[in-house]
Amino acid sequence: MPKKTDTNELPKSLADPKFAQLRELLIGSVKENKKLVLAHYFDGMSEEKRSEYTPFCLEWYKFLKKTCLSEYPYKLPKFFHEGSSVNHAFLAVKTAILACCTQKEIEKVLRENGPALLEAEFEEVMCSRRPAWLADILLWMGGNPALGVWAQQDYWHIYRRFVREKIVKPIKNDLWIRTMFTAMLFDTQDHCDWKAISLFDQLHADPELLETDIWYYFDFARFPNGWNLTSRDGHFSWERETRKGEDWKGTICTLIQSGEMPKQRVIDGCFQSLGRQFSDHESKWYVQLLELLIDRLQISDDELVDDSRYISLLHNLNPAPRALGLKILERLFKSGKIQDGTVVEQAAGILREPAKAKAKKSIGMLEKIAKRNSNLHGEVFHALVEGLQHEAAEIQQASLELLLKYDALNDTAVAESVTRIAESLAPSVRKLLPQTQTTQKTEKTKHYEPLPPSKIAPEKIVPITTFDELLDAATRQAGYSNDMDEFERLLDALSRIGMDKPADFAARTDPLLAQIQKAISGTDILDVAKNKWSVYLGWLKRWHCVLQPGIRMSCFRHRRTNSAGLILVFSSSGSKIM
């Protein structure tokens, strides 16, 4: 029986006298948690010299995992000093790994349990080492959400120090830039080890952020969240304001007022971002910033009229921008800075809004326009017809009452539109309609004789009967052929003889499989050809398909062969034939 290895003894692979000094540091620095001593042990070494320590450090890390984490409670081997911490032992060896290993080796180690509590060591080691891949690993550590939001923020501050000291060049990455906003918000809080710093002061302490990075959101990216990070009762939560100074929106307004940010560029950036396909939650931040700019910078009505983009917000896909557009439209309407015709043009779209409050405001503006401008009655009436199609009965009633007030149903076009939608009105609203609109004119249904049968008999499709025929047909169809008859013929054959695989199935189908995999790559997921190829791929790969989940393809009884068809259901676990 082999002798059990004593885990309290140092393995021979780690007892090399060449690494005696480093070994003593790895053991001795653990008790007092002096990891920075290890960080400076490699100072002045070339990359070639550092690489000599790589096998030892990685082996030491594996040894600790094997001896300390094999059973609970975790404890260190006896040759460590009494009272030493297991956690400190791992942090010490990770510091050494940062100082001598390659980027991939470092990422592999840190990925196992995260880089927590390594920020100071990372900064000290990399500031001295300065490897060619420093920017890449910074991007990995700071831009990887799996490492945790707190680690991201700490590494962002390290990155900014390296940028200011010209150690690395600025990194433009969506997730990395987004980390900037949360990291700086975190510093606006009062913490036990540092005082809160306002965003305004932070931007002035790092002018490059104000000159370049802050514009990245308006030019390329989306804002991560309309909420800000604050501390409350010892826990972190998302709230609208920071404890020190203002949030990002208020800070931007302050910078515009001080002349450090151009107002028009901020406005242009907001509209550019609102024009993208963001969710309503993400677009709210830009809407709130525009509202704040209008209120705090006192943007005049003339400026709003000149910039037609404010009115275009009414056509945005998200509710928040449309609400701001309506607010501006009302303001300009009350001040008389906008033409009545423009308001009527926009009113029909507002009346399609599910929100009753918006529809009521639109009806109110239409009523005022109808009262003072008879030339626009026709346009007003047609807009009110949209209100009759609203899902809320009170909006339907308000629209109908205004139409009846101005005898709009005497207009033939309006009357026909109202008659057409009368049955969809709420019962309480339908009662208000004149009798002529509630009575539908019924026309006699015309009956047509069926067309005589075609004298040209359809070409009969010969079913596939053998595996060889099936393989030949599939090979021909694997190209860009759009012959759907041949495709249906193949589906029919797959349902009948597709499972009859000969002994040399894999060898005979490998060329076809390679051809299909090459053809299917790079095509659109909704491409008919790709769906067709995926049927063959599902067959050749023993019914396991590469299509995304949720795509469904079916084939019913063949109209000419009268053979049973098949249904291919693509799910997250693959596909199967039913």
Side-chain angles (χ1 to χ4, degrees):
M1 183 175 180
K3 183 180 178 181
K4 185 177 180 181
T5 304
D6 187 357
T7 55
N8 289 315
E9 295 181 359
L10 195 66
K12 291 182 179 180
S13 59
L14 296 176
D16 190 337
K18 178 181 177 181
F19 304 108
Q21 187 176 0
L22 177 58
R23 184 169 53 249
E24 290 302 319
L25 282 175
L26 286 169
I27 296 173
S29 65
V30 172
K31 184 177 181 180
E32 299 179 4
N33 192 23
K34 295 181 178 180
K35 301 182 296 299
L36 291 182
V37 176
L38 282 162
H40 294 293
Y41 174 77
F42 297 87
D43 285 355
M45 288 189 187
S46 65
E47 287 296 314
E48 184 179 358
K49 183 66 175 176
R50 290 172 188 261
S51 65
E52 295 177 5
Y53 291 85
T54 297
F56 174 82
C57 292
L58 292 177
E59 186 67 25
W60 186 271
Y61 176 69
K62 293 176 183 178
F63 171 72
L64 287 180
K65 285 204 303 181
K66 181 180 179 181
T67 56
C68 301
L69 307 181
S70 58
E71 58 182 26
Y72 191 81
Y74 305 143
K75 57 183 180 180
L76 289 168
K78 291 182 179 179
F79 56 77
F80 278 89
H81 297 289
E82 186 178 353
S84 297
S85 164
V86 172
N87 186 45
H88 290 168
F90 274 96
L91 292 175
V93 70
K94 284 185 179 182
T95 303
I97 288 172
L98 285 174
C100 67
C101 293
T102 64
Q103 178 186 352
K104 289 185 178 180
E105 291 166 340
I106 293 172
E107 290 178 2
K108 183 179 179 181
V109 170
L110 297 184
R111 195 182 290 114
E112 293 183 0
N113 54 6
L117 304 179
L118 268 176
E119 292 84 1
E121 292 72 31
F122 178 89
E123 186 172 8
E124 290 294 324
V125 168
M126 294 303 170
C127 190
S128 171
R129 185 178 181 183
R130 304 191 182 189
W133 39 263
L134 177 56
D136 294 333
I137 198 169
L138 269 171
L139 187 60
W140 179 81
M141 298 181 81
N144 191 338
L147 301 180
V149 63
W150 311 121
Q152 285 179 278
Q153 293 170 9
D154 290 333
Y155 282 109
W156 179 84
H157 285 293
I158 295 171
Y159 150 74
R160 284 310 305 173
R161 176 195 164 185
F162 288 170
V163 170
R164 290 193 297 270
E165 296 180 5
K166 309 299 182 183
I167 298 175
V168 296
K169 294 181 179 180
I171 301 171
K172 304 301 179 186
N173 171 273
D174 281 357
L175 189 56
W176 197 227
I177 293 291
R178 189 179 297 121
T179 304
M180 174 189 78
F181 281 77
T182 54
M184 294 178 69
L185 282 171
F186 186 78
D187 286 349
T188 62
Q189 311 310 313
D190 295 315
H191 300 285
C192 57
D193 54 349
W194 71 81
K195 293 184 178 180
I197 308 174
S198 69
L199 292 172
F200 190 84
D201 292 336
Q202 290 183 62
L203 289 170
H204 281 87
D206 197 344
E208 188 178 354
L209 297 177
L210 187 57
E211 295 172 5
T212 58
D213 289 43
I214 198 172
W215 295 108
Y216 188 86
Y217 272 107
F218 297 102
D219 295 336
F220 306 105
R222 61 182 69 191
F223 200 84
N225 204 311
W227 298 74
N228 295 329
L229 190 64
T230 61
S231 177
R232 180 177 57 189
D233 300 330
H235 301 282
F236 293 105
S237 60
W238 292 98
E239 294 182 354
R240 295 222 176 251
E241 297 294 334
T242 59
R243 287 188 178 182
K244 182 73 175 178
E246 298 179 301
D247 62 2
W248 273 108
K249 296 184 289 292
T251 300
I252 290 173
C253 282
T254 302
L255 291 167
I256 292 174
Q257 290 173 320
S258 65
E260 295 173 85
M261 289 184 74
K263 178 182 71 174
Q264 194 57 47
R265 186 177 176 185
V266 174
I267 293 174
D268 293 343
C270 287
F271 278 109
Q272 182 177 342
S273 298
L274 289 172
R276 299 192 180 99
Q277 299 298 323
F278 290 170
S279 66
D280 187 54
H281 174 72
E282 292 169 319
S283 65
K284 280 180 181 177
W285 190 89
Y286 300 99
V287 171
Q288 292 166 0
L289 177 55
L290 280 174
E291 288 180 314
L292 194 61
L293 291 174
I294 293 172
D295 294 338
R296 281 185 53 173
L297 303 183
Q298 299 180 349
I299 296 179
S300 66
D301 292 344
D302 291 329
E303 289 181 274
L304 294 174
V305 172
D306 292 339
D307 196 338
S308 60
R309 292 176 300 179
Y310 287 105
I311 304 300
S312 69
L313 292 173
L314 291 165
H315 307 286
N316 198 281
L317 296 176
N318 295 312
R322 294 200 299 270
L324 176 59
L326 177 58
K327 180 180 178 181
I328 295 172
L329 186 69
E330 280 189 294
R331 171 179 165 178
L332 297 178
F333 179 74
K334 290 178 181 178
S335 64
K337 294 292 185 178
I338 191 170
Q339 296 181 354
D340 288 346
T342 303
V343 177
V344 175
E345 288 176 8
Q346 305 300 327
I350 301 171
L351 284 169
R352 300 189 192 103
E353 288 277 348
K356 293 188 292 184
K358 295 179 182 179
K360 287 179 180 178
K361 291 177 181 179
S362 179
I363 293 174
M365 289 188 289
L366 289 173
E367 185 173 10
K368 292 179 181 179
I369 292 173
K371 184 177 181 179
R372 70 191 184 199
N373 195 339
S374 59
N375 294 329
L376 292 174
H377 276 185
E379 290 81 356
V380 170
F381 299 156
H382 285 289
L384 289 170
V385 172
E386 293 289 342
L388 290 175
Q389 302 176 61
H390 199 276
E391 58 186 21
E394 55 185 296
I395 301 301
Q396 295 178 10
Q397 183 172 340
S399 301
L400 180 59
E401 288 176 350
L402 191 55
L403 287 170
L404 295 175
K405 179 180 178 180
Y406 287 95
D407 296 325
L409 299 185
N410 293 330
D411 185 303
T412 305
V414 175
E416 289 178 354
S417 299
V418 173
T419 302
R420 188 168 56 252
I421 63 175
E423 292 301 319
S424 64
L425 295 174
S428 59
V429 180
R430 200 181 309 135
K431 293 177 182 178
L432 303 176
L433 283 174
Q435 188 66 27
T436 54
Q437 266 69 41
T438 56
T439 304
Q440 296 284 342
K441 294 181 180 180
T442 57
E443 296 183 0
K444 293 182 179 180
T445 305
K446 296 181 180 180
H447 297 280
Y448 297 95
E449 293 295 330
L451 292 174
S454 175
K455 296 180 180 180
I456 304 176
E459 180 185 355
K460 185 174 180 59
I461 297 179
V462 180
I464 296 172
T465 57
T466 66
F467 178 82
D468 290 333
E469 290 181 25
L470 174 59
L471 186 57
D472 290 341
T475 303
R476 289 194 305 270
Q477 277 282 299
Y480 289 87
S481 172
N482 290 321
D483 189 343
M484 296 310 296
D485 284 338
E486 184 68 9
F487 180 49
E488 290 186 26
R489 180 169 174 260
L490 272 168
L491 293 179
D492 165 67
L494 284 173
S495 67
R496 291 184 290 103
I497 61 177
M499 291 295 291
D500 300 333
K501 302 184 183 73
D504 57 348
F505 176 83
R508 296 177 63 182
T509 58
D510 277 348
L512 176 59
L513 179 61
Q515 180 184 355
I516 293 172
Q517 286 177 325
K518 181 179 179 180
I520 203 172
S521 62
T523 55
D524 183 23
I525 190 65
L526 297 178
D527 188 354
V528 175
K530 182 168 184 177
N531 287 337
K532 178 186 69 176
W533 290 326
S534 298
V535 173
Y536 312 143
L537 206 58
W539 168 52
L540 297 173
K541 284 195 167 187
R542 316 320 191 259
W543 320 112
H544 290 286
C545 180
V546 297
L547 266 182
Q548 292 182 0
I551 291 185
R552 186 182 184 93
M553 176 176 278
S554 64
C555 179
F556 42 85
R557 185 170 295 277
H558 198 280
R559 65 181 186 278
R560 300 186 198 173
T561 61
N562 199 32
S563 301
L566 85 161
I567 297 176
L568 275 169
V569 180
F570 297 104
S571 65
S572 58
S573 59
S575 62
K576 59 183 178 179
I577 288 188
M578 303 176 62

